[in-house]
């Protein structure tokens, strides 16, 4: 029993050390996809959420992840683990999953907000056909950024692009030149290939239009949930402006690793919880920005 305990302790210590080494070598301050699709604000002040600040529209919160499968009862440690998995391969894989979740946390949060379709600053759901042009005035005129059921092909791309380009400013004016760099965001490889075909078709049939708009296709699999509709919804986002974006990601604290415990049989987590513990925390949030800079469509 003591020999087994010593072997497990040594291997757990090695595992924790390699985890901390991998964590230290990972850059959590960069996420190219999130920075491309949202206004990415780095600030340690919790009350700063630019360009819109509202507790009901943009949530800044602490995110704490504890990997449940990394908790094992002592009887498993001492009686079975070395025999069943002498190299702790399963634990190593779960630790890498923990690291991966930290790398993609802001992508996950962005996808959650897109799917949730929260109410924005103008009082309408972010994807809606009743957006008031100017919510501070009498809402007599509305515009839509919800294309409904639209196939992701050349015609569907043009239909959705028309809504994006035609969305008015607060004074009611329409400036088509504001849209130059357009992201096509899709949840699945199937829609990714359709988007590629649609963009190629536009290049072939309308070279002038291609000169006006630069299309980029982004695969965001974090959008897919158990809800079937999330596999069919696709989005056009105007990325022309650095600040005027459809979504805002605000970071207060990047993911940081908590001290792993449980390698030693006398560690608190082993004595109190009969297991080992490893987790990470972060603080930040994703909220909606300008609805006129995005259009949602649903593939049939």
């Amino acid at each position: 029993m003591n020999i087994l305990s010593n072997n497990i302790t040594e291997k757990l210590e090695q595992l924790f050390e390699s985890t901390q080494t991998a964590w230290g070598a990972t850059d959590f301050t960069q996420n190219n996809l999130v920075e491309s699709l949202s206004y990415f604000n780095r600030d340690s002040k919790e009350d700063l959420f630019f360009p819109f600040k509202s507790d009901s529209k943009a949530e800044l919160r602490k995110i704490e992840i504890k990997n449940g499968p990394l908790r094992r009862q002592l009887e498993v440690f001492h009686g079975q683990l070395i025999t069943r998995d002498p190299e702790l391969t399963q634990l190593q894989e779960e630790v890498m999953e923990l690291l991966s979740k930290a790398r993609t946390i802001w992508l996950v949060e962005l996808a959650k907000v897109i799917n949730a379709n929260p109410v924005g600053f103008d009082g309408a759901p972010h994807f809606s056909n009743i957006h008031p042009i100017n919510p501070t005035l009498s809402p007599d005129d509305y515009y839509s950024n919800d294309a409904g059921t639209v196939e992701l092909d050349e015609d569907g791309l043009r239909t959705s692009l028309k809504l994006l380009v035609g969305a008015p400013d607060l004074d009611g004016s329409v400036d088509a030149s504001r849209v130059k760099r357009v992201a096509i965001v899709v949840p699945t490889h199937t829609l990714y290939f359709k988007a590629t075909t649609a963009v190629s078709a536009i290049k072939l049939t309308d070279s002038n239009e291609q000169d006006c708009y630069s299309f980029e296709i982004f695969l965001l699999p974090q959008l897919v949930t158990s809800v079937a509709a999330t596999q069919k919804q696709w989005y056009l986002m105007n990325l022309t402006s650095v600040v005027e974006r459809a979504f805002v990601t605000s970071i207060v604290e990047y993911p940081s690793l908590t001290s792993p415990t449980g390698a030693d049989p006398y560690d608190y987590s082993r004595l109190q919880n009969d297991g080992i513990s490893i987790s990470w925390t972060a603080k930040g949030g994703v909220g909606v920005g300008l609805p006129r800079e995005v259009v949602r469509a649903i593939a049939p």
Side-chain angles (χ1 to χ4, degrees), residues 205-249:
T205 60
D206 195 337
S207 58
N208 291 331
E209 186 165 347
Q210 178 60 25
D211 291 339
C212 294
Y213 307 115
S214 172
F215 293 102
E216 299 174 67
I217 306 171
F218 295 91
L219 177 64
L220 187 58
Q222 287 81 3
L223 286 168
V224 178
T225 70
S226 58
V227 179
T230 60
Q231 300 182 37
K232 297 182 177 182
Q233 293 171 166
W234 56 279
Y235 308 85
L236 292 188
M237 298 185 189
N238 182 18
L239 308 184
T240 308
S241 170
V242 175
V243 177
E244 295 182 357
R245 295 291 180 87
F247 299 94
V248 180
T249 301

